[in-house]
Amino acid sequence: MRRRPGLSARMKLALSYAGFLFVAGALLLAVVWGFLLRYVPDNSQGLLGISPNRYLLVHTFAPAAAVAMAFLLVFGLVGGWLLAGRMLAPLTRITEAARTAGKGSLSHRIRMEGRQDEFRELSDAFDSMLEQLESHVAEQQRFAANASHELRTPLAISRTLLDLARQDPAQDRAEIIERLHTVNTRAIDLTEALLLLSRGERGTFTRESVDLSLLAEEAAETLLPLAEQRRITLDVTGATAVTGGSAELLLRMVTNLVQNAIVHNLPADGTVTVHTEMYGDTSILRVENTGRPLPPELLPTLTEPFRRGTDRVRTDEHAGVGLGLAIVHSIVRAHDGTLGLAPRPTGGLVVTVRLPAGRSASRGT
């Protein structure tokens, strides 16, 4: 946005300082002048009188007062210019940092020294914003690179299979078609997961009253065959937990959590417990599963896109696309909630989702 040139903030402050000093000096001189004239006689005796008179005072004091006012004006301008420059120096550093960030360099930090004041507070807030932006941009770059890599893999496999079928007509076409179908299904699942992740991050959905306990039962019913196949005991407990949001996204969140709890479990005879409850103005969903012990340093990486916990047990047919918990995290943030991950002492994971209570739940409490 182009603006007309104007006075700088430093010049405005300098003029303000000078004007204030000039007005204060003028008022002081006016008060002194008024008191002097009140007690000095008004006659024209000049120097022959016994005491000073108003005529002599005017002709001797007025030039000195004019010189003093001129000095105050010059002193106010120079002193105001220097003081304004000193006061605005932190703002200049913040402006330079903003311009540097505007050119794409987010690694620059102001790190202003000195005691806490308004400028230091603004500097710290700006540094914090730059740090968050740099982290977000780096995360998006990693996500784009990983997504490109993940999407390129099934496409490359499809091209290889097609080239093989074209070059060797003797190949079993049914087998090639089946492998192409598997690869294509994986690519579609990955694309849908990316779209769902993007939708959750944008937060563009219609909010309605949703009961997490009903979603937990629906997800458990859908995934029960998978749990029985892996000999996992699946239990749903708790009470009504109403929140506001998208029923479709929240169902996907619960389904991903339950599926992850089943897949990343013991090879057999494991358990998965889904619990819902209300605590004050918060609706809570907790998914707990058995499994091998998890190292603490692994937990923060589980919600990153395309990060699969290598220490977690899973089968190849349910390896997924590495977006399960990333989608959960995105949906939870879009619903103004929090996602907590904690290892179980005996092995496994406890995932706790806290969401703001919906209108119906608020009336019931």
Side-chain angles (χ1 to χ4, degrees):
M1 180 179 181
R2 304 187 64 178
R3 302 178 185 272
R4 293 184 300 173
L7 295 176
S8 64
R10 185 176 184 181
M11 178 58 70
K12 292 179 180 178
L13 287 175
L15 292 176
S16 299
Y17 294 153
F20 178 79
L21 189 59
F22 185 81
V23 172
L27 290 176
L28 180 60
L29 290 177
V31 171
V32 173
W33 186 267
F35 274 94
L36 287 177
L37 294 184
R38 176 181 298 181
Y39 298 105
V40 175
D42 187 12
N43 54 53
S44 58
Q45 292 180 0
L47 296 175
L48 301 178
I50 299 175
S51 61
N53 55 48
R54 191 171 299 179
Y55 173 82
L56 180 61
L57 185 62
V58 170
H59 285 77
T60 57
F61 184 73
V67 172
M69 293 300 298
F71 173 78
L72 286 177
L73 182 60
V74 175
F75 180 78
L77 288 173
V78 176
W81 178 263
L82 296 176
L83 288 176
R86 183 177 179 84
M87 291 295 298
L88 295 177
L91 188 60
T92 303
R93 291 179 57 182
I94 297 174
T95 302
E96 293 175 354
R99 287 176 179 154
T100 303
K103 295 177 182 178
S105 177
L106 299 178
S107 60
H108 177 72
R109 299 292 183 271
I110 302 174
R111 293 188 176 91
M112 191 172 297
E113 61 282 349
R115 297 185 177 182
Q116 185 71 15
D117 59 14
E118 288 80 359
F119 286 117
R120 273 71 181 177
E121 186 177 355
L122 177 61
S123 171
D124 294 342
F126 190 81
D127 283 347
S128 177
M129 181 192 69
L130 286 179
E131 185 176 355
Q132 294 179 6
L133 283 176
E134 184 181 20
S135 176
H136 181 72
V137 170
E139 181 181 351
Q140 292 299 319
Q141 290 175 347
R142 289 195 305 269
F143 176 80
N146 292 331
S148 300
H149 175 74
E150 294 285 339
L151 287 172
R152 183 177 60 183
T153 300
L155 293 177
I157 296 175
S158 298
R159 185 177 63 181
T160 301
L161 292 175
L162 291 174
D163 291 342
L164 180 62
R166 183 176 58 183
Q167 295 172 5
D168 188 2
Q171 285 284 337
D172 187 356
R173 294 184 176 273
E175 180 183 356
I176 293 179
I177 292 175
E178 182 63 26
R179 294 176 64 183
L180 283 173
H181 179 268
T182 302
V183 173
N184 187 58
T185 301
R186 178 176 174 81
I188 292 176
D189 292 341
L190 177 58
T191 303
E192 290 180 348
L194 290 173
L195 292 175
L196 183 62
L197 181 62
S198 174
R199 180 185 173 190
E201 290 180 346
R202 291 197 309 268
T204 55
F205 51 82
T206 302
R207 293 182 179 269
E208 56 182 316
S209 181
V210 181
D211 187 356
L212 295 179
S213 64
L214 297 180
L215 298 184
E217 293 176 0
E218 182 176 352
E221 182 179 356
T222 302
L223 295 171
L224 184 58
L226 176 61
E228 292 176 346
Q229 177 186 351
R230 294 178 57 87
R231 290 190 295 174
I232 302 294
T233 302
L234 179 58
D235 293 326
V236 178
T237 63
T240 300
V242 180
T243 186
S246 168
E248 177 187 358
L249 291 178
L250 291 175
L251 177 60
R252 183 59 180 267
M253 175 195 73
V254 178
T255 303
N256 281 9
L257 289 177
V258 177
Q259 182 175 353
N260 280 353
I262 296 174
V263 173
H264 302 288
N265 210 308
L266 295 175
D269 300 326
T271 61
V272 174
T273 303
V274 184
H275 180 77
T276 57
E277 63 178 350
M278 294 290 303
Y279 185 80
D281 294 333
T282 304
S283 297
I284 299 176
L285 169 71
R286 185 179 298 107
V287 180
E288 181 176 353
N289 69 306
T290 55
R292 294 182 179 179
L294 292 175
E297 62 272 11
L298 180 65
L299 295 181
T301 67
L302 295 180
T303 57
E304 294 182 9
F306 305 106
R307 293 297 298 269
R308 302 176 180 90
T310 56
D311 295 336
R312 306 180 71 190
V313 179
R314 66 168 185 268
T315 57
D316 294 336
E317 65 270 18
H318 293 104
V321 295
L323 290 172
L325 286 180
I327 292 176
V328 170
H329 192 207
S330 175
I331 294 175
V332 171
R333 287 188 303 180
H335 288 78
D336 303 322
T338 59
L339 176 66
L341 305 178
R344 296 177 73 248
T346 58
L349 185 68
V350 179
V351 181
T352 305
V353 177
R354 292 179 172 84
L355 299 173
R359 292 187 297 271
S360 297
S362 298
R363 294 193 194 102
T365 57

